[in-house]
Amino acid sequence: MVPVTVQRALGLAAQRHAHRVAVRHGNTTLTFAELDHRAAAVAQGLFRAGVTRGDRVAVMLPNCADYIVIAMACAKAALCMVPVNYRFTGAELRRQVDDCGAKVLISDQGFRQQVADAEFPETMRIVHDRVALERMVAQASADWQAPQAREDDLFYLGYTSGTTGKPKGAMITQRNRALAYHYWALEFGIGSQDVGLHCGPFHHTAPFTFTLTQLFMGGQVVVLDSFDAEAASVAIARHGVTWSFMVPFMLERVLETTLDRDSAPTLRMLISGASPLSTRTKTRVLDRFPGVSLHDFYGATEAGVVTNLRPEDQLTKTRCVGVPIAEIEVQIRDEQGHTITEHDVIGDIWLRGPTLFAGYFNDPVKSAEVSDGPWCTLGDVGHLDQDGYLYLVDRRKDVIKSGGVNIYPIEIEEVILREQGVRECAVTGLPDERWGEATTAFLVLQDAANQELVHRHVQELCQSSLADYKRPKAFRFLSALPRNANGKVLKRELRQIA
């Protein structure tokens, strides 16, 4: 039987489109053949560094052509890539690497301090910069034979939790991700003539997977170091970009530029996801770019794209995330786990399909908590209408989605409670036009007279202990937190208070 793997999917794409441009990043341009050759060389270098099939390779880099090279190298060598957020502190980096058991960390000169602060043991092999990576490439042999990847080999671990307690590494297999490329290309109409702009950080699942989907289809990807609205607008016009994935925050910033339909004649599609797309932003995008198809999807690291609100439904389904894409099923269940068959009744969202993750790495308990046979829940709450369209209502775990990234309140609360002057603390997300949700900390002090001093100390704690995107954007001071009879903080009431 022919295996369905990322190794095979991307390898065949490189053969079919060998002389076409695959990647543009700054002054770097790679054809499919060059991309494939470089990936094979890096794969060899990783094996020389002491890894073997199935081992984890941590990658802490900004967006760049070599990020794609390393992903393809891991696919070729049946290694498991572990993307790491480059905004992590040394302690956060160490926790994730320890959890996944990576033998190698590929990093960049700009992150030397974080790597040093992580205090890795001497047995950890660290590729500190591009010079070291070039040495790996230069030592490659044309005779090297890659191991045959299996469908159940892990392609990457996508971490979905913060650093308090045990992190959760979602296991994404070679089969899982190879099928996702097929389904995403089918759903969004991505083809070999397309040019995709990718400006979201590759350590997040969506930008990373959309990039490889475009390459799987034989098209070209234009990569930005990081998101900048002006740079994105210039790239769209300069490189004939036909589509891009942008979280709502990015779309809002692009709307502040002069980019429009006339200056971007090749643009045919915009894809939004990762956080709620407000009706206001949606309307402005459609007005600014008439004739450009707008998609708004619901998904997660554990599942990929689950549902998609297609262009024809944008103006008829308000605050809706669409219908399931190919091979995905959605159920709404009550708190006892029974399927809700009535329309518009709110319950837990459960999913089934071949692109669902294989569980959490080394955490069978957490894996069992979110699974029911082939079905899985992400902790989200919603309902289906009579046409089978899904609407998100709330999140069971109060995850904050700000600027397209997930933020976990308990981690922030633990840091704030290190300050002795804080009696109680609760963190939640409040609606924000710019960020989707703004992280807000509600504090009850031991002595209200010390508010200014405690406020400054808490800010300093957050500065030293949390990556910048996790730090609260606002602090509110209360005399008491609202709680139910069991003592649980009622975060919905906090949102109403604000």
Side-chain angles (χ1 to χ4, degrees), residues 235-257:
I236 289 171
R238 177 178 296 166
H239 298 295
V241 168
T242 60
W243 71 278
S244 183
F245 162 70
M246 294 187 184
V247 301
F249 168 77
M250 296 178 183
L251 290 175
E252 289 157 9
R253 299 290 77 76
V254 168
L255 288 170
E256 295 174 356
T257 72

Side-chain angles (χ1 to χ4, degrees), residues 111-347:
F111 309 127
R112 273 189 178 272
Q113 189 58 54
Q114 289 141 284
V115 173
D117 291 345
E119 298 181 344
F120 289 115
E122 293 183 1
T123 54
M124 182 71 176
R125 174 66 189 274
I126 301 173
V127 180
H128 280 289
D129 51 36
R130 309 276 170 87
V131 174
L133 200 63
E134 290 302 329
R135 285 198 295 267
M136 295 173 69
V137 172
Q139 295 170 6
S141 167
D143 299 327
W144 184 73
Q145 292 294 317
Q148 179 71 46
R150 298 185 294 263
E151 291 188 345
D152 60 355
D153 283 335
L154 295 185
F155 172 46
Y156 76 92
L157 291 181
Y159 274 79
T160 61
S161 82
T163 60
T164 299
K166 184 176 174 58
K168 295 183 300 180
M171 297 186 290
I172 310 300
T173 66
Q174 291 246 354
R175 174 182 171 83
N176 170 306
R177 206 44 37 170
L179 288 174
Y181 303 153
H182 286 81
Y183 299 146
W184 293 23
L186 176 65
E187 177 64 28
F188 299 107
I190 299 169
S192 61
Q193 301 305 310
D194 276 312
V195 179
L197 173 67
H198 302 281
C199 45
F202 283 172
H203 56 257
H204 288 298
T205 296
F208 177 57
T209 307
F210 272 119
T211 297
L212 296 186
T213 297
Q214 179 65 92
L215 294 175
F216 162 69
M217 292 303 297
Q220 181 185 143
V221 296
V222 177
V223 178
L224 299 185
D225 294 348
S226 59
F227 175 72
D228 175 84
E230 290 292 345
S233 300
V234 169
I236 289 171
R238 177 178 296 166
H239 298 295
V241 168
T242 60
W243 71 278
S244 183
F245 162 70
M246 294 187 184
V247 301
F249 168 77
M250 296 178 183
L251 290 175
E252 289 157 9
R253 299 290 77 76
V254 168
L255 288 170
E256 295 174 356
T257 72
T258 59
L259 188 73
D260 58 15
R261 198 71 185 93
D262 292 336
S263 57
T266 58
L267 187 66
R268 67 172 185 83
M269 177 172 64
L270 290 168
I271 303 173
S272 180
S275 63
L277 179 63
S278 69
T279 302
R280 172 182 164 181
T281 301
K282 179 188 299 186
T283 301
R284 293 181 63 200
V285 169
L286 294 174
D287 288 345
R288 177 73 70 86
F289 302 103
V292 173
S293 299
L294 177 63
H295 295 261
D296 183 17
F297 73 86
Y298 162 60
T301 297
E302 294 95 331
V305 174
V306 175
T307 64
N308 179 39
L309 189 69
R310 296 168 182 158
E312 61 269 25
D313 297 316
Q314 292 296 333
L315 297 178
T316 60
K317 299 285 185 177
T318 303
R319 306 298 296 189
C320 176
V321 291
V323 294
I325 71 167
E327 299 291 343
I328 297 292
E329 299 170 80
V330 173
Q331 282 185 355
I332 305 297
R333 299 184 183 181
D334 62 24
E335 293 184 5
Q336 288 71 46
H338 303 132
T339 302
I340 299 173
T341 57
E342 296 87 354
H343 303 138
D344 302 320
V345 177
I346 295 172

Side-chain angles (χ1 to χ4, degrees), residues 332-470:
I332 305 297
R333 299 184 183 181
D334 62 24
E335 293 184 5
Q336 288 71 46
H338 303 132
T339 302
I340 299 173
T341 57
E342 296 87 354
H343 303 138
D344 302 320
V345 177
I346 295 172
D348 293 315
I349 300 170
W350 285 78
L351 323 165
R352 180 168 70 172
T355 60
L356 294 189
F357 75 134
Y360 294 113
F361 185 73
N362 280 345
D363 198 340
V365 173
K366 179 60 67 175
S367 299
E369 288 177 0
V370 301
S371 301
D372 179 16
W375 291 86
C376 164
T377 183
L378 304 177
D380 291 325
V381 177
H383 64 87
L384 294 168
D385 69 13
Q386 61 182 1
D387 301 317
Y389 285 73
L390 180 65
Y391 295 76
L392 293 182
V393 175
D394 205 345
R395 281 148 287 191
R396 287 292 187 203
K397 298 175 183 177
D398 290 317
V399 177
I400 301 167
K401 291 192 174 182
S402 182
V405 298
N406 288 351
I407 299 173
Y408 296 82
I410 190 171
E411 178 186 5
I412 304 169
E413 291 163 2
E414 289 289 334
V415 169
I416 292 174
L417 287 171
R418 295 178 196 167
E419 168 54 42
Q420 295 298 313
V422 176
R423 182 183 181 192
E424 298 176 14
C425 171
V427 174
T428 189
L430 299 181
D432 185 272
E433 282 294 328
R434 181 176 184 183
W435 299 100
E437 288 184 314
T439 304
T440 304
F442 292 85
L443 309 182
V444 177
L445 305 185
Q446 298 287 2
D447 185 350
N450 294 328
Q451 178 174 318
E452 183 176 347
L453 178 64
V454 173
H455 187 192
R456 184 169 69 252
H457 286 175
V458 168
Q459 288 180 310
E460 291 171 353
L461 270 174
C462 293
Q463 181 79 19
S464 63
S465 304
L466 297 168
D468 55 1
Y469 71 95
K470 299 178 183 178

